[in-house]
Amino acid sequence: MNKAKASSEKSVSASSRTISLLSQLEKINSDSVLGESDSARHVTSRILHLVQSQEKTRKEMTSKGSTGIEIILSTLENTRDPQTILNILNILIEIVSVGGGRRASVLVTKGGTQILLQLLLTASKDSPPNEELMVLLHTLLAKVGPKDKKIGVKARINGVLNISLNLVKHNLQNHRLVLPCLQVLRVYSTNSVNAVSLGKNGVVELMFKIIGPFSKRNTSLMKVALDTLAALLKSKTNARRAVDRGYVQALITIYVDWHRHDSRHRYMLIRKGVLQCIKSVTNIKLGRKAFIDANGMKILYNTSQECLAVRTLDPLVNTSSLIMRKCFPKNRLPLPTIKSAFHFQLPVIPASGPVAQLYNLPPDVDDVVDESDDNDDAETESEIETEIDDDKDQHFKNDDIETDINKLKPRQELGRSIEELKMYEQFFPELSENFQEWDLVSKEPKPFVPDANLSGPIVVPTASEEHSAEAKPSTKGIALKECSPLLTEEYNRRPVFLELPKKDNMKSSSLHQQNDQRNMLPSCQCLSQEIVKGLDRISLQNSAKNDQYYGTGCVVEKESKAGITTLASSKPFEHVSPCGGSLFEGSSVQLGKLCCTGVDSEEEEDSRSSSSGEHATLQISDVSPVHDCDLYLEMVKNTKSIPEYSEVAYPDYFGHIPPPFKEPILERRYGVQRTKICQDIERLIYQNDIIDRVVYDLDNSSFSVPEEADVLKFNSKFESGNLRKVIQIRKNEYDLILNSDINSNHYHQWFYFEVSGMKTGIGYRFNIINCEKSNSQFNYGMQPLMYSVQEALRCRPCWTRVGTDICYYKNHFSRSSIAAGGQKGKSYYTITFTVTFQHKEDVCYFAYHYPYTYSTLKMHLRKLESMHNPQQIYFRHDVLCKTLAGNSCPLVTITAMPESNYYEHIYQFRNRPYIFLSARVHPGETNASWVMKGTLEYLMSNSPNAQSLRESYIFKIIPMLNPDGVINGNHRCSLSGEDLNRQWQNPNPDLHPTIYHAKGLLQYLAAIKRLPLVYCDYHGHSRKKNVFMYGCSIKETMWHTSVNAASCDLMEDPAYRALPKILSHTAPAFCMGSCSFVVEKSKESTARVVVWREIGVQRSYTMESTLCGCDQGKYKGLCLPVISIVEPQL
């Protein structure tokens, strides 16, 4: 107790002494009396003693509200006594030496930098300069300088740049003085103007007098000299000077010498310092050439390989890897043109924009190798990258956020006359249908309350609430209530210019379906071995089916009886090219090559027992009931593609089931990216080992598939396929090049292709070398998908995530500035993965994500139409418009049939609020279609919750906004070469018909005062996990800017958050934390913003589904299989 008391008294005493001494010093400054220098020397000496001995004193002097630093700096500025100056400099050094950078920042804010620079200028005029003073001054400046962003400018203005440089020049052997001077030069050099100025005065040459071969002496001085040189060489002028004097070769020699002698790795920082100098000088083209000429690639490759065994040397390996990647000579893609391999002549050429530029380009200038010095050097040097969610709220760039209140406030602008919008009346027959001709169950109408339907609870379905017709209603739903009386009144108005006809002749084709056609036969996605042996290519011949469709897929039987589609060989087996195809002949459609060997020998016995007998049928009961192999082929015949595809991919034909196991997000092996980059660098070092043979080429119409047994065969000539060219690099390694979107020279990400001719037990490496995004979920656990026909033959038709050693990184193929939006020095990126196949001579398909073709959509809609109960469900399938290629854009209407044909029930039917859904505007985001498929199937199901939704709302759905892009394997654009989700402001009816008419539907609803309650556009996201939404809010947009939302007098209904909140409680994959309601300028022409701003739909959303998996909730750590993707989210 006495000790504590004594300690407390001592502390108080020290504090009071410090305050007292500072007061004395302040009085001395103000009195300026002759002889006071002795007093100042004495006081500062005592303060120095306190600062050196007690941390409390140091804290007190830099604490908030303290004037200690101001008094000290004032004394330093005014005194001329050398000892007082030395005392004060020591005091300041003690203060900033501990406590992190906060204390140095305090010194900067008090004007300390300017005072120190002035003192340095004054002291330099002494001849000779006071060495102790110079050491202390430079030591303090080296500590304070990094916290002062303008120290370089201040130093130049005060004329002190060359003082430190001259001190080094004249005192090279005085290491005590040279060391802090070099540290200050390093700080000065962060300013490019200063670096150039110092370079002109010989600083680069001076640094090479200090650094040198391996030596255990003065290693700290060498380390600082290297850091200073690395900063100086970031200036292009200094880098060119270093190249001209042969310093690149010198740096490589120095690095090799330190690498050889530092066997115990004690001087890793020096070795890294040399590498940082090489990294800086190779930022320019001359530096990269000098590095190559000095055999730097091979030298750094060999030294980095020797460092791999020691984990602590990873910084050296990573920096070496970065230098080698940068210096790898830039090449253009091995293509005749980066424009798409397919051409479609547009009916109208845009007056401006990238498409117009593409059409106006002279031949052979679309892809020029760019060796610009503007290399993006912001590569990740650490092997353990941090995932960057660059579009979370906190990462929005302020300059992209809309700050104009007038633009943010929604305003209804129809943009088209009422008379013109009447053309869309035909798509809303439900608003005038009277059902008098329908035999509905008659009920006495209950007293009609206009808002009764709107105010009741609407249960939002979740994946766990799938019930049969007999199931009890779920109690887990969350009630969604419409609380706006204005909206309630609006929904119950009659249309403005629609009259209620006495008799309507409109009859939806869906209402004429017979119930007996809904008795579906079970079917199989598999073929028996006997059938496979007799087939190479399969074509569908018209048979007398009488429009009868079957079960869940195709039923393959040995007997050929009428009523079941027969599969027949279109050509003799031995004469057919494995990956080729022919155009449609009559009504036949060809499938790709089947596995020639049938089932592997090790499973022959099992296969024989399962397929024995003339009438053997293989069946899978778990396949979706809306998949029908025969119907799919019928749909394919009417699908119009630009390449006129004649083949059908087996996964699309067979269908697929989810794998019977959970697929965790892949944990990335340490060092995999570094290893892959080293293997790429070996291509340059050991060029004789590279095969460089083209094995697939869409640009060469006469190209023939290699016949060698050890070469893989590729194919992408089927709907949604995308693979342009394949080059064999090594025996089991292939470079793959994707096709750009039609009428475009970029957007490479989606891939879907076939591989055959493989062997088991071999790891095949695939490199997709022309991706464009700067990052991908492939770096964070995502895997490509593979479908094995051999596995399908064993009744396991699954898309499974495969691949090891997966990574995504920048490569040495240069992107043309024309394709990169005018940006120079950009490179493509590589997706690389290694696959070991389970079956020899298999036929496998690889895809970016679960494929979902346009023909699949047509098949699903046809099946839904034929399976529904017209007494309960109002289902209508219309054609909204024709696309540029002549394909139909489907429009679906789903709601519940009225309880009876009494007027009250029909009135309630017509006045249900609309919910408008759309999907697949971006072809490469296939998960949007799977979510839409789940939505459609749920809304058509017998679930009590689905029935409740149908009775409460009318669903208008455009399940595929970009059919042409989907069909032709585009990633983002339509045939117009433009992103359709950037055309909603001013869609062109000739170039963007689906967007023009989709917007027209919404404008029509606005014109008749029937605004949708919700608009939601389904998308997929390639760089974030989970499922989330983007919405629109004025206030939340303002919160991310400097504008004070409270001062804007904004009144905003928070109902825009209701649906995302409901989903966050009901959908396991949904993440509210990833949602954003900020309106960005770059998104002002998207569906979400235009429907909110121009149409006036408050709840206008984009719903994003991950292409990878989840990092929260029920599915945390798991990839989202297709069974989860189709869980209805609405």
Side-chain angles (χ1 to χ4, degrees), residues 236-247:
K236 293 181 182 180
T237 304
N238 290 339
R240 283 191 288 269
R241 182 176 284 107
V243 173
D244 293 341
R245 285 161 175 73
Y247 290 151

Side-chain angles (χ1 to χ4, degrees), residues 171 241 249-250 1032 1095:
N171 298 276
R241 182 176 284 107
Q249 175 72 66
C1032 301
I1095 309 298

Side-chain angles (χ1 to χ4, degrees), residues 21-37 39-41 43-44 47 67-81 84-85 88 115:
L21 290 171
L22 287 171
S23 299
Q24 292 178 42
L25 192 59
E26 186 177 19
K27 185 177 180 182
I28 293 170
N29 290 338
S30 60
D31 285 347
S32 297
V33 180
L34 190 65
E36 290 294 332
S37 59
S39 301
R41 190 182 309 133
V43 171
T44 53
I47 294 175
T67 59
I69 294 295
E70 287 97 324
I71 295 171
I72 294 292
L73 289 175
S74 176
T75 306
L76 180 63
E77 188 175 19
N78 296 321
T79 187
R80 294 293 178 267
D81 179 56
T84 302
I85 292 174
I88 293 176
I115 294 172

Side-chain angles (χ1 to χ4, degrees), residues 466-474 872 941-944:
E466 296 286 347
H467 300 290
S468 63
E470 296 78 23
K472 295 180 181 180
S474 171
Q872 294 181 355
S941 72
N942 293 326
S943 164

